Amino acid sequence: MIIIPRLARKDLNTPFLHIMVQGVNKEYIFYNDFYIKKYLKIIEDNISKFEITIMAYCIMNNHAHFLIYVNDINELGKFMHSINLQYSNIYNRKEGRCGVLFRNRYKVEPIYEIKYLINCIKYIHDNPVKANIVLKCEDYKYSSYSDYMTNSGCTQNEIMNKIFGKGYNYFKAFKRNFDKRFMDIEEDKKIYLNEYMESSICFFEKSKEKSLVEIMSCRNVFKSLIRFLNTDCRI
Protein backbone atom coordinates (compact mmCIF):
# COMPACT_ATOMS: atom_id res chain seq x y z
CA MET A 1 0.00 0.00 0.00
CA ILE A 2 1.38 3.42 -0.98
CA ILE A 3 0.75 6.24 1.49
CA ILE A 4 1.35 9.91 0.80
CA PRO A 5 4.02 10.94 3.34
CA ARG A 6 3.23 13.36 6.14
CA LEU A 7 5.49 16.24 5.17
CA ALA A 8 5.63 19.75 6.65
CA ARG A 9 2.63 21.87 5.67
CA LYS A 10 1.77 25.49 6.37
CA ASP A 11 -1.24 27.07 4.70
CA LEU A 12 -2.28 24.01 2.69
CA ASN A 13 -4.41 21.03 3.67
CA THR A 14 -2.25 18.99 1.29
CA PRO A 15 1.02 19.75 -0.51
CA PHE A 16 -0.19 17.97 -3.68
CA LEU A 17 -2.05 20.31 -6.03
CA HIS A 18 -3.49 20.03 -9.52
CA ILE A 19 -3.04 23.45 -11.16
CA MET A 20 -4.74 24.65 -14.33
CA VAL A 21 -4.11 27.89 -16.21
CA GLN A 22 -6.18 28.98 -19.18
CA GLY A 23 -6.10 31.72 -21.79
CA VAL A 24 -8.48 34.64 -21.28
CA ASN A 25 -11.74 33.97 -23.15
CA LYS A 26 -10.28 30.50 -23.80
CA GLU A 27 -7.93 32.00 -26.39
CA TYR A 28 -5.23 29.80 -27.93
CA ILE A 29 -2.27 31.31 -26.09
CA PHE A 30 -0.04 28.27 -26.81
CA TYR A 31 -1.09 27.87 -30.42
CA ASN A 32 2.22 26.74 -31.93
CA ASP A 33 5.50 25.00 -31.06
CA PHE A 34 7.35 28.27 -30.51
CA TYR A 35 5.04 29.45 -27.74
CA ILE A 36 4.77 26.07 -26.01
CA LYS A 37 8.56 25.71 -25.98
CA LYS A 38 8.92 29.28 -24.73
CA TYR A 39 6.52 28.60 -21.82
CA LEU A 40 8.35 25.39 -20.92
CA LYS A 41 11.69 27.23 -21.05
CA ILE A 42 10.36 29.91 -18.70
CA ILE A 43 9.18 27.18 -16.31
CA GLU A 44 12.61 25.50 -16.49
CA ASP A 45 14.37 28.81 -15.77
CA ASN A 46 12.15 29.55 -12.76
CA ILE A 47 11.73 26.16 -11.09
CA SER A 48 15.00 26.35 -9.12
CA LYS A 49 14.08 29.77 -7.71
CA PHE A 50 11.07 28.50 -5.77
CA GLU A 51 10.46 25.65 -3.34
CA ILE A 52 8.11 23.65 -5.54
CA THR A 53 8.31 20.38 -7.46
CA ILE A 54 6.52 19.73 -10.75
CA MET A 55 5.34 16.11 -10.73
CA ALA A 56 3.50 16.14 -14.07
CA TYR A 57 2.48 18.62 -16.77
CA CYS A 58 0.75 19.00 -20.10
CA ILE A 59 0.67 22.16 -22.24
CA MET A 60 -2.37 22.37 -24.52
CA ASN A 61 -3.32 25.12 -27.00
CA ASN A 62 -5.43 27.28 -24.69
CA HIS A 63 -4.59 25.88 -21.25
CA ALA A 64 -2.00 23.98 -19.25
CA HIS A 65 -2.11 21.42 -16.44
CA PHE A 66 0.45 20.87 -13.68
CA LEU A 67 0.64 18.51 -10.74
CA ILE A 68 2.72 20.37 -8.18
CA TYR A 69 4.14 19.55 -4.77
CA VAL A 70 4.54 22.59 -2.53
CA ASN A 71 4.62 23.10 1.24
CA ASP A 72 3.96 26.84 1.21
CA ILE A 73 1.18 28.28 -0.96
CA ASN A 74 3.09 31.56 -1.07
CA GLU A 75 5.83 29.79 -3.04
CA LEU A 76 3.20 28.52 -5.49
CA GLY A 77 1.76 32.00 -5.90
CA LYS A 78 5.17 33.55 -6.55
CA PHE A 79 6.10 30.80 -9.03
CA MET A 80 2.85 31.04 -11.02
CA HIS A 81 2.99 34.83 -11.02
CA SER A 82 6.57 34.79 -12.26
CA ILE A 83 6.12 32.31 -15.13
CA ASN A 84 2.78 33.72 -16.31
CA LEU A 85 3.96 37.33 -16.15
CA GLN A 86 7.12 36.54 -18.11
CA TYR A 87 5.17 34.56 -20.68
CA SER A 88 2.48 37.27 -20.99
CA ASN A 89 5.12 39.92 -21.65
CA ILE A 90 6.76 37.85 -24.39
CA TYR A 91 3.46 36.82 -25.98
CA ASN A 92 1.96 40.33 -25.95
CA ARG A 93 5.13 41.83 -27.40
CA LYS A 94 5.34 39.32 -30.26
CA GLU A 95 1.60 39.37 -30.99
CA GLY A 96 1.28 43.16 -30.74
CA ARG A 97 -1.38 42.94 -28.04
CA CYS A 98 -1.73 44.27 -24.51
CA GLY A 99 -3.67 43.40 -21.39
CA VAL A 100 -4.45 40.22 -19.50
CA LEU A 101 -3.46 36.95 -21.19
CA PHE A 102 -4.51 34.35 -18.61
CA ARG A 103 -8.07 33.78 -17.43
CA ASN A 104 -8.44 34.61 -13.72
CA ARG A 105 -5.41 33.66 -11.63
CA TYR A 106 -5.13 29.89 -11.81
CA LYS A 107 -7.31 27.02 -10.65
CA VAL A 108 -6.17 24.85 -7.75
CA GLU A 109 -7.46 21.36 -7.01
CA PRO A 110 -6.10 19.63 -3.87
CA ILE A 111 -5.15 15.95 -4.06
CA TYR A 112 -5.60 13.97 -0.83
CA GLU A 113 -5.33 10.29 -1.75
CA ILE A 114 -2.75 8.23 -3.63
CA LYS A 115 -5.47 6.92 -5.96
CA TYR A 116 -6.35 10.46 -6.99
CA LEU A 117 -2.68 11.39 -7.25
CA ILE A 118 -2.15 8.63 -9.84
CA ASN A 119 -5.48 9.42 -11.51
CA CYS A 120 -4.53 13.09 -11.72
CA ILE A 121 -1.25 12.26 -13.47
CA LYS A 122 -3.11 10.06 -15.91
CA TYR A 123 -5.81 12.69 -16.40
CA ILE A 124 -3.21 15.35 -17.19
CA HIS A 125 -1.45 13.13 -19.73
CA ASP A 126 -4.74 12.05 -21.29
CA ASN A 127 -5.79 15.61 -22.23
CA PRO A 128 -4.40 15.57 -25.81
CA VAL A 129 -6.13 12.23 -26.47
CA LYS A 130 -9.46 13.51 -25.15
CA ALA A 131 -9.06 16.61 -27.33
CA ASN A 132 -8.47 14.36 -30.39
CA ILE A 133 -5.07 15.94 -31.01
CA VAL A 134 -3.30 12.56 -30.88
CA LEU A 135 -4.41 8.93 -30.70
CA LYS A 136 -2.05 7.97 -27.85
CA CYS A 137 -0.49 9.90 -24.96
CA GLU A 138 3.02 9.02 -26.15
CA ASP A 139 2.38 10.84 -29.44
CA TYR A 140 2.07 14.22 -27.72
CA LYS A 141 5.37 16.08 -27.32
CA TYR A 142 4.46 18.63 -24.67
CA SER A 143 3.63 16.59 -21.60
CA SER A 144 5.57 14.61 -19.01
CA TYR A 145 4.10 11.30 -20.24
CA SER A 146 7.41 10.09 -21.70
CA ASP A 147 9.08 10.71 -18.31
CA TYR A 148 6.69 8.23 -16.73
CA MET A 149 7.19 5.61 -19.39
CA THR A 150 10.99 5.81 -19.20
CA ASN A 151 11.36 6.60 -15.47
CA SER A 152 13.14 9.88 -16.16
CA GLY A 153 12.56 13.62 -15.73
CA CYS A 154 9.61 14.35 -13.43
CA THR A 155 9.62 10.84 -11.96
CA GLN A 156 13.15 11.20 -10.59
CA ASN A 157 12.52 14.05 -8.17
CA GLU A 158 12.85 13.48 -4.43
CA ILE A 159 9.10 13.53 -3.73
CA MET A 160 8.26 10.93 -6.39
CA ASN A 161 11.03 8.64 -5.19
CA LYS A 162 9.87 9.03 -1.60
CA ILE A 163 6.32 8.00 -2.52
CA PHE A 164 6.86 5.35 -5.19
CA GLY A 165 10.53 4.39 -4.99
CA LYS A 166 12.86 4.22 -7.98
CA GLY A 167 11.92 2.12 -10.99
CA TYR A 168 8.19 2.11 -10.20
CA ASN A 169 6.05 0.77 -13.07
CA TYR A 170 3.80 3.73 -13.79
CA PHE A 171 2.33 2.14 -16.90
CA LYS A 172 0.80 -0.64 -14.81
CA ALA A 173 -0.29 1.83 -12.15
CA PHE A 174 -2.13 3.99 -14.67
CA LYS A 175 -3.79 0.97 -16.22
CA ARG A 176 -4.83 -0.43 -12.85
CA ASN A 177 -5.90 2.74 -11.06
CA PHE A 178 -7.26 5.09 -13.70
CA ASP A 179 -10.99 5.64 -13.41
CA LYS A 180 -12.40 7.54 -16.38
CA ARG A 181 -15.03 9.06 -14.11
CA PHE A 182 -12.31 11.17 -12.51
CA MET A 183 -13.47 14.78 -12.96
CA ASP A 184 -15.57 13.83 -15.97
CA ILE A 185 -18.79 11.86 -15.54
CA GLU A 186 -21.85 13.65 -14.13
CA GLU A 187 -22.88 10.81 -11.80
CA ASP A 188 -19.54 11.03 -10.01
CA LYS A 189 -19.33 14.79 -10.17
CA LYS A 190 -21.71 15.53 -7.26
CA ILE A 191 -19.79 13.26 -4.89
CA TYR A 192 -16.49 14.76 -5.98
CA LEU A 193 -17.81 18.33 -5.73
CA ASN A 194 -19.12 17.78 -2.21
CA GLU A 195 -15.75 16.45 -1.06
CA TYR A 196 -13.89 19.20 -2.87
CA MET A 197 -16.18 21.94 -1.52
CA GLU A 198 -15.60 20.75 2.04
CA SER A 199 -11.83 20.92 1.58
CA SER A 200 -12.12 24.35 -0.09
CA ILE A 201 -14.17 25.72 2.81
CA CYS A 202 -11.58 24.34 5.23
CA PHE A 203 -8.82 26.03 3.21
CA PHE A 204 -10.76 29.34 3.27
CA GLU A 205 -11.26 29.07 7.05
CA LYS A 206 -7.53 28.65 7.56
CA SER A 207 -6.63 31.50 5.20
CA LYS A 208 -8.97 33.87 7.08
CA GLU A 209 -8.20 32.37 10.50
CA LYS A 210 -11.95 32.21 11.18
CA SER A 211 -14.44 29.41 11.75
CA LEU A 212 -17.31 28.88 9.31
CA VAL A 213 -19.73 30.31 11.90
CA GLU A 214 -17.62 33.46 12.20
CA ILE A 215 -17.38 33.74 8.41
CA MET A 216 -21.14 33.43 7.99
CA SER A 217 -21.75 36.11 10.61
CA CYS A 218 -19.64 38.62 8.68
CA ARG A 219 -21.39 39.67 5.48
CA ASN A 220 -18.33 40.79 3.52
CA VAL A 221 -16.24 37.75 4.46
CA PHE A 222 -19.16 35.44 3.65
CA LYS A 223 -19.48 37.06 0.23
CA SER A 224 -15.76 36.42 -0.27
CA LEU A 225 -16.31 32.76 0.57
CA ILE A 226 -19.13 32.52 -2.00
CA ARG A 227 -16.93 34.10 -4.68
CA PHE A 228 -14.08 31.77 -3.74
CA LEU A 229 -16.29 28.66 -3.99
CA ASN A 230 -17.82 29.80 -7.29
CA THR A 231 -14.31 30.07 -8.76
CA ASP A 232 -12.47 27.27 -6.97
CA CYS A 233 -15.15 24.55 -7.09
CA ARG A 234 -16.15 24.98 -10.72
CA ILE A 235 -15.07 21.84 -12.62
Side-chain angles (χ1 to χ4, degrees), residues 53-144:
T53 299
I54 294 180
M55 300 170 67
Y57 68 87
C58 182
I59 315 297
M60 301 288 284
N61 293 133
N62 74 338
H63 70 283
H65 290 270
F66 304 96
L67 177 60
I68 286 178
Y69 172 90
V70 61
N71 272 314
D72 185 349
I73 198 168
N74 294 316
E75 285 293 292
L76 173 66
K78 289 185 287 186
F79 172 74
M80 296 304 298
H81 175 76
S82 180
I83 65 171
N84 287 348
L85 178 62
Q86 289 179 50
Y87 182 76
S88 296
N89 289 339
I90 292 171
Y91 186 92
N92 283 349
R93 187 167 60 249
K94 288 192 69 66
E95 294 294 317
R97 72 184 295 279
C98 61
V100 175
L101 184 62
F102 290 92
R103 177 185 176 188
N104 298 324
R105 193 181 175 198
Y106 49 85
K107 183 175 177 181
V108 181
E109 176 187 358
I111 305 295
Y112 294 104
E113 299 176 17
I114 192 66
K115 178 179 72 172
Y116 288 111
L117 184 72
I118 295 174
N119 283 352
C120 183
I121 295 169
K122 173 61 177 170
Y123 174 81
I124 289 171
H125 293 157
D126 208 45
N127 261 250
V129 177
K130 287 171 59 182
N132 295 316
I133 296 174
V134 293
L135 293 176
K136 297 178 292 185
C137 295
E138 55 262 41
D139 294 333
Y140 193 69
K141 295 185 293 183
Y142 302 116
S143 82
S144 54

Side-chain angles (χ1 to χ4, degrees), residues 130-192:
K130 287 171 59 182
N132 295 316
I133 296 174
V134 293
L135 293 176
K136 297 178 292 185
C137 295
E138 55 262 41
D139 294 333
Y140 193 69
K141 295 185 293 183
Y142 302 116
S143 82
S144 54
Y145 182 83
S146 61
D147 289 357
Y148 282 82
M149 295 303 99
T150 59
N151 269 296
S152 60
C154 287
T155 70
Q156 293 305 301
N157 65 67
E158 181 182 354
I159 301 303
M160 293 297 287
N161 286 333
K162 186 174 288 188
I163 298 172
F164 297 102
K166 293 186 177 181
Y168 186 73
N169 192 323
Y170 294 101
F171 181 79
K172 286 185 177 179
F174 292 155
K175 190 174 182 180
R176 181 176 65 251
N177 289 287
F178 182 48
D179 183 345
K180 289 186 178 179
R181 293 179 299 173
F182 181 65
M183 295 196 295
D184 275 330
I185 299 298
E186 291 297 327
E187 64 182 8
D188 198 51
K189 197 172 185 179
K190 287 184 179 179
I191 297 172
Y192 178 80

Side-chain angles (χ1 to χ4, degrees), residues 184-225:
D184 275 330
I185 299 298
E186 291 297 327
E187 64 182 8
D188 198 51
K189 197 172 185 179
K190 287 184 179 179
I191 297 172
Y192 178 80
L193 266 177
N194 287 338
E195 294 175 350
Y196 186 34
M197 188 169 290
E198 286 179 8
S199 67
S200 295
I201 290 172
C202 183
F203 176 83
F204 189 85
E205 286 177 311
K206 288 188 175 183
S207 70
K208 298 297 181 181
E209 296 184 344
K210 295 179 182 293
S211 68
L212 184 57
V213 173
E214 291 174 316
I215 290 169
M216 292 179 72
S217 66
C218 181
R219 186 176 181 182
N220 289 334
V221 181
F222 184 60
K223 283 184 177 180
S224 296
L225 172 61

